[in-house]
DNA sequence: CAATTTGATACCTTATAGTGAATCATATAC
DNA sequence: GTATATGATTCACTATAAGGTATCAAATTG
């Protein structure tokens, strides 16, 4: 959440000639959510890869953050794992995020996913750009 | 909506050895939503491109569907245009989609965006894969 | 109507995803 | 303890995004 507001400030800086900080990585909460979803299905990376018709090496690279796939590739992974990406106006984000959290709280098998969704997001973000850049 | 269910059937076919149909394009509803969001701000592709620190040619390619950007690149575009991507479990998609629609209905300046979000999605999808593939 | 803007397109180079196959170190299963 | 599975990694190649610059045809502006 805080992250979104900081991006807003960056937008204002852009108007003054500053370049935004390029992301260059999939947010770790998304990566973790996808790993969890895969494991909950009892699939290995090889299982998922063959379902998608792509190489296991890519699943590994994507999950670890070493590869940032094209949007279409990621979307297909996301959908294969029973999720979807929804384009949401920024001011709706908190509501939708909480909906998603509440929904997972209601799913016995997916309840464990909730803390990863929020906490890991804030924890991993400041660290991993350093590793990648 | 219907599109999501057809993908579900494809998933079942994968278990029987069929490859899923690779997307290779950003859904047109997303592209249109982004174009609308940009125009609502009175930005040209050049304006948006300079805010993002990338070339106008890329904005053009992405908006037209000729280029499928990496997820991080698209996410940055999305956020610069006041939106965000939320990872949503599939069975929550209808609710979230309707939330997004209702929210746009409530925004006077964004009310026009609603029909494009739903109608164009269904209309463009069957046509554009043929153009691209 | 001339000047400017706009989005599409072309050219070129670099970086990285995508593809296929294989191997490795470690973990897991039995 | 052995066999198997798993995720990470390597090698090599192709495809395409990313990046920069410029131009063009059409639209828009004033």
């Amino acid at each position: 959440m805080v992250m979104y507001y900081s991006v807003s400030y960056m937008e204002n800086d852009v108007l003054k000639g500053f370049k935004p900080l390029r992301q260059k990585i999939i947010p770790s909460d998304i990566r973790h959510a996808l790993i969890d979803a895969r494991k909950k299905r009892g699939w290995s990376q090889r299982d998922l890869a063959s379902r998608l018709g792509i190489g296991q090496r890519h699943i590994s690279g994507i999950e670890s953050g070493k590869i940032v796939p094209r949007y279409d590739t990621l979307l297909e992974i996301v959908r294969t794992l029973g999720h979807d990406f929804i384009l949401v106006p920024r001011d709706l984000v908190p509501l939708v995020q909480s909906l998603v959290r509440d929904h997972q709280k209601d799913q016995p098998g997916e309840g464990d996913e909730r803390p990863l969704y929020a906490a890991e997001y804030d924890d991993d973000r400041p660290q991993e750009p350093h590793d990648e850049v």
Side-chain angles (χ1 to χ4, degrees), chain A residues 3-133:
Chain A
M3 185 353 234
Y4 298 132
Y5 296 126
S6 67
V7 172
S8 297
Y9 289 132
M10 286 182 182
E11 276 187 357
N12 293 330
D13 288 337
V14 169
L15 299 178
K16 298 169 187 171
F18 288 101
K19 282 193 178 182
L21 187 63
R22 176 59 60 84
Q23 187 85 1
K24 300 277 186 223
I25 191 169
I26 305 181
S28 62
D29 70 317
I30 288 177
R31 287 186 291 108
H32 291 163
L34 294 177
I35 293 169
D36 286 345
R38 173 173 64 79
K39 287 179 175 177
K40 278 189 174 53
R41 285 162 176 73
W43 296 345
S44 65
Q45 291 181 347
R46 283 185 175 87
D47 292 334
L48 177 57
S50 67
R51 285 165 196 277
L52 291 163
I54 69 176
Q56 176 266 328
R57 73 184 297 287
H58 275 93
I59 301 295
S60 181
I62 291 163
E63 287 188 353
S64 66
K66 283 177 180 166
I67 291 175
V68 182
R70 285 189 331 225
Y71 175 76
D72 60 339
T73 305
L74 187 61
L75 186 60
E76 203 172 11
I77 294 171
V78 157
R79 284 175 174 168
T80 299
L81 293 173
H83 289 70
D84 213 324
F85 272 125
I86 305 291
L87 186 68
V88 175
R90 186 182 294 121
D91 47 354
L92 256 194
V93 168
L95 173 59
V96 174
Q97 293 275 30
S98 63
L99 267 183
V100 173
R101 274 191 229 109
D102 290 347
H103 180 264
Q104 281 150 357
K105 193 195 286 185
D106 293 342
Q107 309 295 320
E110 306 225 24
D112 294 337
E113 204 168 0
R114 179 190 161 199
L116 286 177
Y117 226 76
E120 287 286 338
Y121 184 83
D122 292 330
D123 290 343
D124 281 359
R125 284 300 306 289
Q127 298 171 18
E128 298 211 6
H130 295 296
D131 293 338
E132 297 295 327
V133 179

